Amino acid sequence: MRPSWVEVDVAAIRHNVSTIAGVVAPARVCAVVKADGYGHGDVPAARAAIAGGASSLAVAIVAEGVRLREAGIRAPILLLSEPPPADAEALVRWRLTPTVYSDRLLQPLAGLPGDAPHPVHLKVDTGMHRVGAAPADAVRLATRIAADPRLRLEGVWTHFAVSEDDPEFTREQLARFESVLADLREAGIEAGIRHVANTAGALEYPEARLDMVRTGLGIYGLRPAPHVAADLELRPAMRVVSHVSYLRRHPAGTRPSYGRRRALAAAATVATVPVGYADGVTRRLSAVGGEVLIGGRRFPFAGTVTMDQIVVDVDDADIAVGDEVVLLGRQGGEAIPAEEWAERLDTINYEVVCGFGPRLPRRYLGEAS
Ligand SMILES: *Cc1c(COP(=O)(O)O)cnc(C)c1O
């Protein structure tokens, strides 16, 4: 077997959820496990989150919800986007709770049989401007849902655009949301579960916790920005691990790998490691100063990342075939956090952890419950 994998500490996810749940209580935690649990594996992440105190789960699309149900997960599952009307039947069959912000889904959903009215959450756009009903349209949609005996308005929500770094705009979004809630009250409509906060919103704005928070990044032990709840103990759950497959000594001036981009400054040992850009170790990483850990020490790439393998300049270090190589995460006293990749690659830690491909098996450590 290829000795490369993504290692996920489910006990860390459980710990992070229970830590966050303690901070936001009495608000409930909805654990966001979309995109295969931000690359950590959706089913194990969901189980660990529930064990840690999450009362519900959220995903982006119907297929993600179905995967959780097929694995036997019974917690409520909220879809964060309005599914296409053609998915109405699957929603009912798999007991997935859709978000709506238009009229498109309501008729097909209401037309389906069920033991009880189908729950829906109404999303209002208060400033993210991606999806969501205009505040002025919210009462009309909510009224339509409330008036249909086959539908039930279970929740009303919005989403922050800059909760990690712009308190003024975030408070403005919250105020717009409160004003929609006031309009609903005035119209005699029960909003149900009110929720607005993502990880940064939940940890930085107590007034935004309302009835429930939707936390994704934080449950995986990462922060949306370094200052977010800086003194809260969150444990990164992911390590990306491989092992040295081959070692060769080369003279000064040797230029390993495609493009012959980099010359060894002195005679050195080059370690080959069987993981590459097809696994999500992006090719750019070797061009922007990326490093890996072997034996708890940092070493630079010796040349360009290839599809299936990388080369590492290990200098004169005492390294053997089979030694563990860490691309992301901790090894001994040293660590390469997702934020380091993000800074080098001019992106965010969210994209880094979502970027490791399906060719890398996920290996689970620790007990979820
Ligand atoms: C992804 C997502 C979240 C979770 O955001 P984090 O910053 O990862 O906590 C919450 N709400 C919505 C609508 C999302 O799309």
Side-chain angles (χ1 to χ4, degrees):
M1 201 191 81
R2 188 172 180 237
S4 307
W5 54 78
V6 174
E7 184 186 282
V8 176
D9 181 353
V10 290
I13 297 176
R14 190 193 52 191
H15 160 89
N16 297 328
V17 171
S18 101
T19 301
I20 292 169
V23 171
V24 304
R28 283 175 277 170
V29 174
C30 171
V32 181
V33 297
K34 62 191 175 188
D36 200 21
Y38 291 38
H40 294 70
D42 51 6
V43 170
R47 291 210 172 103
I50 290 164
S55 55
S56 63
L57 303 165
V59 294
I61 61 174
V62 170
E64 293 175 332
V66 172
R67 276 169 55 86
L68 297 174
R69 288 284 181 252
E70 282 178 337
I73 289 172
R74 310 231 293 262
I77 298 174
L78 176 67
L79 295 169
L80 296 169
S81 300
E82 182 178 298
D87 281 349
E89 215 165 337
L91 295 173
V92 172
R93 171 152 176 241
W94 295 101
R95 282 193 311 107
L96 306 174
T97 307
T99 286
V100 298
Y101 29 80
S102 80
D103 292 277
R104 294 178 72 219
L105 183 68
L106 297 177
Q107 182 66 39
L109 188 61
L112 291 167
D115 303 338
H118 305 302
V120 301
H121 285 221
L122 172 64
K123 183 184 180 192
V124 184
D125 177 18
T126 58
M128 170 75 181
H129 303 326
R130 180 174 58 176
V131 291
D137 199 29
V139 171
R140 182 193 67 79
L141 273 169
T143 305
R144 182 174 167 185
I145 296 163
D148 193 322
R150 293 154 306 169
L151 300 175
R152 179 166 64 91
L153 185 64
E154 187 188 76
V156 177
W157 65 278
T158 192
H159 189 45
F160 291 140
V162 282
S163 51
E164 70 289 348
D165 63 5
D166 187 340
E168 196 183 331
F169 192 77
T170 300
R171 294 204 174 98
E172 197 173 312
Q173 282 196 266
L174 191 56
R176 287 178 195 161
F177 185 70
E178 300 281 5
S179 134
V180 168
L181 292 177
D183 292 346
L184 292 176
R185 269 196 303 276
E186 205 163 299
I189 294 165
E190 179 59 56
I193 307 165
R194 303 158 304 150
H195 53 106
V196 303
N198 52 6
T199 298
L203 297 180
E204 293 287 287
Y205 300 85
E207 70 274 31
R209 291 171 190 155
L210 305 181
D211 300 314
M212 184 174 88
V213 301
R214 303 181 307 270
T215 46
L217 195 71
I219 76 172
Y220 306 104
L222 304 176
R223 289 168 211 283
H227 65 86
V228 171
D231 43 8
L232 200 65
E233 201 233 338
L234 297 177
R235 301 184 195 151
M238 179 186 284
R239 290 203 317 151
V240 179
V241 172
S242 187
H243 295 80
V244 174
S245 61
Y246 189 67
L247 287 165
R248 245 192 97 194
R249 189 83 189 160
H250 294 289
T254 304
R255 294 173 169 273
S257 193
Y258 291 127
R260 307 187 67 234
R261 295 283 166 80
R262 199 177 147 230
L264 297 179
T269 302
V270 171
T272 304
V273 182
V275 65
Y277 61 74
D279 302 300
V281 180
T282 178
R283 199 169 163 278
R284 245 181 86 64
L285 196 62
S286 55
V288 295
E291 293 176 325
V292 304
L293 303 178
I294 309 177
R297 278 179 61 193
R298 285 173 175 266
F299 295 101
F301 287 90
T304 304
V305 172
T306 76
M307 192 182 293
D308 315 306
Q309 301 181 83
I310 58 171
V311 284
V312 179
D313 180 350
V314 298
D315 199 0
D316 291 322
D318 182 18
I319 280 166
V321 167
D323 282 2
E324 184 192 71
V325 180
V326 165
L327 290 106
L328 185 91
R330 176 161 295 283
Q331 187 189 54
E334 189 60 82
I336 297 183
E339 292 72 25
E340 181 177 318
W341 278 52
E343 188 162 328
R344 288 195 202 285
L345 299 166
D346 194 20
T347 182
I348 53 177
N349 50 6
Y350 293 77
E351 190 180 12
V352 171
V353 289
C354 287
F356 297 102
R359 196 171 73 174
L360 288 180
R362 269 56 178 171
R363 289 199 163 186
Y364 299 97
L365 290 187
E367 291 291 323
S369 47

